[in-house]
Amino acid sequence: MTQFEDLGLAPGLTERLAEAGLKAPTPIQEKAIPLALEGRDVLGLAQTGTGKTLAFGLPLMHRLLEQQSKPLPRSVKALVLAPTRELVNQIADNLKIYAEGSRLKVRTVVGGQSINRQINMLERGCDILVATPGRLIDLMDRRAVDLSTARNLVLDEADQMLDMGFIHALRRIAPHLGTPRQTMLFSATMPKQMEELSRAYLDNPERVQVTPPGKAADKITQSVHFLQKAEKQSRLREILDRDPGALTLVFGRTKHGSEKLMKGLVADGYNAASIHGNKSQGQRDRAIKAFRDGSINILVATDVAARGIDIPGVAHVINYELPEVPDNYVHRIGRTARAGREGEAHTFCAPEEADLLRQIQKLMKIDIPVAAGEPHPGVAPGSPRVAPPKPGGKSGSGRGRGRGASSKPRGASGGGRGAPGAKPGGAKRRRPRRSAGGGAQA
């Protein structure tokens, strides 16, 4: 088996990998790192949760460590672009772990934070800048950052950049980068526009693919529930009650709908928070932190969070509403079964969502097993059926239970504050609440 030390990385990097308990690279890392160390442009395709960040981050840091010069004021040596604030923070947090103890400076710039503070930070220059395209352009317009020294460019989750219209921003940013440069593009799916993107920005790239585009991780158990729209709330609570305390990510389609769903859960005594585009960066950061440390165990999100949450303990993903873009389904369910764990993905499909489900199954080239109901018109009826859970039993074996999550039975007394707007006399699904680090305010 290949080990990290076999790949030719700088000794300091392999030491920090060993300290983190990482010895063997994942398939995408094993294939991409040697090519990147050679200076080749790389087009990497791999499902979520397979270690793409280190696949580009380790060779990037290795090459920068070989350089002896410090970054000049306002200059950047390597630029990593990602579509969302959450993903930028996740990438930077991972890189900082392995840059610790070295002279490498990893910095982030995202919207929703003080631009003046970011200008002051960039005044000192940095080795690796991880950024969202919009805020980076704002800083470029203010002449706060010089990209002419950046000889390394990484586009992470490039397919979502295409979905979110960031291709126009990329066209503004790219001409300001230094040449010659190495460019690496990583994604979990491969829409047609991706070929055009790679031709425009990559020079004779090596294509590295470890799983077919659109395929979910093997350890994700998928199921679909055919029901009416009005039945979704009660079905959601049934699933949550099978595995109380497990970290569960619930996806809605709109900001307003997700916020309303979260408030309904909180009113029923569940430890829930929400994350979507109407939340400030501070609120989003606090909600993710509370979810990560188990202070809350249910996070309701729009697709803004689908690629920005790297929390190994997520046991369940529930598609309360189906995404308009089929690729986003792959990214949503990829938030579970991370780092070798198992996970479950439940999908609710109302009659008006039948075509969306059909498109998802066409993309993934599978029929998702049916957990409940009869397939709606327009959906292939031949899907296998999932055995129903035993009465009172959990859908899993308690895996992914949030740290610090309550193990008391529903209705137990003590410690919890009453949820605002809760039904008098104790709702049927009421459970004790802890202070959730923000709860509905997170």
Side-chain angles (χ1 to χ4, degrees), residues 252-261 274-279 301-302 304 321:
R253 190 180 302 131
T254 67
K255 294 176 284 190
H256 174 74
S258 296
E259 186 71 7
K260 182 178 179 181
L261 177 60
S274 64
I275 177 173
H276 50 70
N278 280 351
K279 297 284 187 177
T302 56
V304 70
E321 294 172 311

Side-chain angles (χ1 to χ4, degrees), residues 246-305:
L247 293 185
T248 302
L249 190 53
V250 182
F251 279 103
R253 190 180 302 131
T254 67
K255 294 176 284 190
H256 174 74
S258 296
E259 186 71 7
K260 182 178 179 181
L261 177 60
M262 180 275 293
K263 289 182 177 179
L265 290 170
V266 170
D268 279 352
Y270 293 88
N271 285 330
S274 64
I275 177 173
H276 50 70
N278 280 351
K279 297 284 187 177
S280 70
Q281 186 61 42
Q283 289 174 318
R284 289 157 70 164
D285 290 344
R286 287 193 295 273
I288 290 179
K289 181 179 183 299
F291 189 56
R292 185 184 300 277
D293 66 25
S295 298
I296 58 108
N297 67 292
I298 302 166
L299 187 63
V300 184
T302 56
D303 284 312
V304 70

Side-chain angles (χ1 to χ4, degrees), residues 112-123:
Q113 295 183 352
S114 168
I115 193 168
N116 290 327
R117 190 174 300 155
Q118 292 173 352
I119 290 173
N120 292 335
M121 175 267 294
L122 289 171
E123 182 66 33

Side-chain angles (χ1 to χ4, degrees), residues 113-149:
Q113 295 183 352
S114 168
I115 193 168
N116 290 327
R117 190 174 300 155
Q118 292 173 352
I119 290 173
N120 292 335
M121 175 267 294
L122 289 171
E123 182 66 33
R124 299 184 293 275
C126 66
D127 295 280
I128 302 174
L129 181 65
V130 191
T132 51
R135 176 48 62 93
L136 180 60
I137 288 176
D138 290 341
L139 291 162
M140 291 167 58
D141 290 342
R142 298 189 184 208
R143 300 181 183 275
V145 60
D146 178 11
L147 299 179
S148 64
T149 55

Side-chain angles (χ1 to χ4, degrees), residues 291-335:
F291 189 56
R292 185 184 300 277
D293 66 25
S295 298
I296 58 108
N297 67 292
I298 302 166
L299 187 63
V300 184
T302 56
D303 284 312
V304 70
R307 309 192 194 189
I309 297 180
D310 184 9
I311 300 175
V314 175
H316 304 280
V317 169
I318 300 175
N319 291 293
Y320 189 82
E321 294 172 311
L322 286 171
E324 299 283 356
V325 179
D327 287 340
N328 284 349
Y329 173 87
V330 180
H331 296 291
R332 286 181 177 190
I333 68 174
R335 298 308 100 194

Side-chain angles (χ1 to χ4, degrees), residues 78-102:
L79 175 64
V80 180
L81 292 178
T84 67
R85 306 169 192 174
E86 285 71 30
L87 187 55
V88 164
N89 291 333
Q90 174 190 310
I91 292 169
D93 288 345
N94 270 288
L95 297 183
K96 287 176 181 177
I97 291 172
Y98 302 101
E100 186 177 357
S102 73

